Amino acid sequence: MDTQSYGLHVGGRWIDAPESFTSRNPARPAELLGRFARATPELVFAAYESAADAQERWRRTSPIARGEVLYRTAEVLAGRADSLAEELAREEGKTLREARAEVGRSVSILRYFAGEAAQPVGSVLPSAGERTFLFDQREPVGVVCIITPWNFPLAIPAWKIAPALAFGNTLVWKPSELTPLCAVRLVEAFAEAGLPPGVLNLVTGLPEEIGDAVTGNPAVGAISFTGSAGVGRAIQAAAVARGVKVQLELGGKNPVVVLEDADLELAVEQTVRGAMLSAGQKCTATSRAIVTASVQDEFTEQLIERARALRVGDPLDEATDLGPVASEQQLERVLGYLAIAREEGLECALGGDRLEDANGGYFVSPTVYLDVLPESRIGQEEIFGPVLAVMAAASFEEAIWIANLVDYGLSASVFTRDLTRAFDFVRDVQAGVVHVNSETPGAEPQAPFGGTKASSSHSREQGKAAADFYTQVKTVYLDLPG
């Protein structure tokens, strides 16, 4: 069967590019999911021209009408949930259960921001002038560049695109080259829902060929990026010099702290979920388990037993708990860290290798290392795979110290029955998202999301906080005549 080809979406039309690239199933790398247009800098420029041309018209569109487009898009996605989940699982590698959850999350995000479009914006302020009407209002930034990763190919684009559109911006979106099919499906849903031409433009391609064109166009008023720290900081440095607004989400080295009074069964289950599901490929994934000494042996024994029971295999099989990592490059990255762990002499209690299968899939076994030193590379660096480092802490205070002993500060969790220590943890841990008695992943559309330290640019996504990035405030002094 011929492999289907997909174009760029510019000015409301699907257009071809001179060359293409392919998307493959990481569970079966020989399976092609499609050929996708490989944008050139010239085509990226055309996308920005389209976004700029559409901006004034979309800015003047009623916020209620914008919200209705978002709501209709949510309904399109909901109506295609099963097919979208299957394509997502085949392209990214997460299980069908997780893929269905991501589609549902994307629908919820779109519905939430459809409602936000109708919420009050701005405020009326008291003035020293007796006849001065003083108020402020929010206006769109203009043309926004959206750059998204492969690990949540529907949900992360949804939580960037939906508020940007709700607040009157037009967009050029560059998704990961590993998950272009999901991007095409999302743009198709927006188009079917009646989004006007030019408001959302999709450019697929290779970062080394179009990266500068995507982030450096003069029309760009703001850039929202989720991805690696190195790429994000380079984008930020170049953009700030041009006066462009930048939002970054860059990863984490997220801890769970398990105290002696914890519900160990709950702590084990949530730690395994946070560390291993989605093959550990979440920026909020649990990477470190910091356990107080009195429960360390019991916790570790239960943890290894639970992680060993996870079923690794075809993500389309309903019985599978873990699919493959997303690409050969990602496989090499994770295996590289497993080699580093061997060099550091770490005790591998479970896994520590690639799982071979007949289809050559990129499978890594769930891996647990014991007695990891906090200062080691496995204890410090983001691996982005199903790898958990277990560390000992002599006290609650030392556990928090270890938790904070990394450059990142995205998500953190504590397991305890003590309400006082729970609040102490919330106060003292250096993280933008804190969980008590639940796994480190997890974010709801109405709540702000983002990290501290090296995990972000200190802005927040989702919830009402999204307006801070996608709008700018205009203050108006209206003096009444006479």
Side-chain angles (χ1 to χ4, degrees):
M1 179 169 40
D2 292 338
T3 303
Q4 187 169 348
S5 294
Y6 301 89
L8 313 174
H9 194 71
V10 176
R13 298 185 300 114
W14 294 99
I15 64 174
D16 294 329
E19 296 184 44
S20 65
F21 66 100
T22 58
S23 176
R24 295 177 180 270
N25 182 342
R28 297 180 177 83
E31 178 187 339
L32 294 182
L33 302 178
R35 297 188 181 278
F36 297 85
R38 190 166 157 178
T40 63
E42 293 76 18
L43 289 170
V44 173
F45 184 83
Y48 275 109
E49 280 193 318
S50 175
D53 289 344
Q55 209 288 310
E56 181 63 18
R57 183 175 66 255
W58 184 243
R59 181 179 75 86
R60 291 177 178 271
T61 298
S62 160
I64 305 301
R66 295 187 217 133
E68 288 172 350
V69 172
L70 295 181
Y71 192 84
R72 290 195 298 269
T73 305
E75 296 308 290
V76 173
L77 293 183
R80 299 174 183 167
D82 290 341
S83 62
L84 284 170
E86 181 176 340
E87 287 184 327
L88 197 165
R90 290 172 63 209
E91 185 169 51
E92 195 273 345
K94 63 183 57 176
T95 65
L96 267 178
R97 277 175 288 169
E98 293 174 304
R100 291 189 191 106
E102 180 169 346
V103 175
R105 182 177 178 184
S106 304
V107 170
S108 296
I109 290 166
L110 288 161
R111 287 173 176 164
Y112 172 80
F113 283 108
E116 279 298 287
Q119 294 300 305
V121 291
S123 54
V124 176
L125 306 167
S127 172
E130 293 181 358
R131 295 181 63 79
T132 299
F133 183 58
L134 177 58
F135 64 98
D136 63 61
Q137 61 189 34
R138 288 189 179 270
E139 297 185 344
V141 174
V143 177
V144 177
C145 167
I146 301 287
I147 303 173
T148 57
W150 45 262
N151 59 328
F152 285 91
L154 289 177
I156 290 179
W159 85 42
K160 293 178 185 291
I161 292 170
L165 295 179
F167 300 129
N169 301 279
T170 56
L171 310 176
V172 173
W173 173 27
K174 163 64 175 72
S176 169
E177 66 277 14
L178 296 182
T179 51
L181 181 57
C182 289
V184 166
R185 297 302 186 224
L186 185 54
V187 171
E188 287 175 343
F190 274 108
E192 185 171 329
L195 187 68
V199 174
L200 172 59
N201 302 274
L202 174 69
V203 292
T204 54
L206 308 183
E208 60 270 24
E209 295 177 354
I210 60 171
D212 290 343
V214 168
T215 59
N217 191 281
V220 174
I223 301 172
S224 182
F225 171 89
T226 297
S228 71
V231 174
R233 293 303 179 193
I235 290 172
Q236 183 181 39
V240 167
R242 300 181 357 246
V244 173
K245 202 173 186 180
V246 178
Q247 177 183 70
L248 305 176
E249 290 299 337
L250 303 176
K253 188 69 178 174
N254 311 296
V256 297
V257 169
V258 182
L259 302 181
E260 61 273 11
D261 66 335
D263 179 335
L264 284 190
E265 183 178 350
L266 174 68
V268 165
E269 180 64 26
Q270 294 295 301
T271 299
V272 170
R273 286 180 56 84
M276 303 301 172
L277 297 190
S278 292
Q281 298 173 126
K282 300 176 183 177
C283 56
T284 53
T286 304
S287 189
R288 298 174 292 154
I290 304 165
V291 189
T292 49
S294 62
V295 294
Q296 183 181 7
D297 290 345
E298 185 178 357
F299 173 83
T300 301
E301 181 181 346
Q302 292 185 31
L303 176 80
I304 294 169
E305 180 181 0
R306 180 66 185 92
R308 182 178 284 117
L310 294 171
R311 293 158 292 192
V312 182
D314 184 351
L316 297 180
D317 186 338
E318 296 282 2
T320 296
D321 297 309
L322 266 74
V325 295
S327 67
E328 185 175 13
Q329 180 182 12
Q330 186 63 17
L331 174 66
E332 291 172 354
R333 174 187 173 88
V334 176
L335 295 180
Y337 274 103
L338 301 184
I340 289 169
R342 288 191 291 271
E343 293 169 6
E344 292 184 338
L346 297 183
E347 178 186 351
C348 185
L350 181 69
D353 52 16
R354 177 181 182 177
L355 294 177
E356 302 287 348
D357 80 317
N359 297 307
Y362 306 133
F363 295 97
V364 177
S365 59
T367 298
V368 178
Y369 291 106
L370 303 182
D371 299 322
V372 176
L373 295 176
E375 301 86 355
S376 67
R377 290 187 65 184
I378 298 302
Q380 289 285 314
E381 298 177 16
E382 185 178 40
I383 298 171
F384 227 62
V387 180
L388 178 66
V390 180
M391 305 172 180
S395 65
F396 174 54
E397 292 74 21
E398 184 182 25
I400 292 180
W401 177 78
I402 294 172
N404 292 338
L405 196 66
V406 293
D407 292 335
Y408 296 104
L410 181 54
S411 183
S413 180
V414 65
F415 289 87
T416 180
R417 291 184 171 93
D418 188 325
L419 190 59
T420 298
R421 291 206 291 184
F423 274 101
D424 286 345
F425 183 83
V426 170
R427 179 193 65 206
D428 294 335
V429 74
Q430 295 169 357
V433 180
V434 182
H435 296 263
V436 178
N437 295 321
S438 61
E439 60 180 306
T440 56
E444 298 187 32
Q446 72 276 15
F449 176 85
T452 63
K453 302 196 290 187
S455 288
S456 82
S457 56
H458 311 291
S459 61
R460 292 294 180 263
E461 300 190 81
Q462 302 197 90
K464 292 190 178 299
D468 294 334
F469 181 73
Y470 292 109
T471 65
Q472 49 199 348
V473 175
K474 178 180 285 184
T475 303
V476 180
Y477 294 81
L478 177 60
D479 284 352
L480 301 176

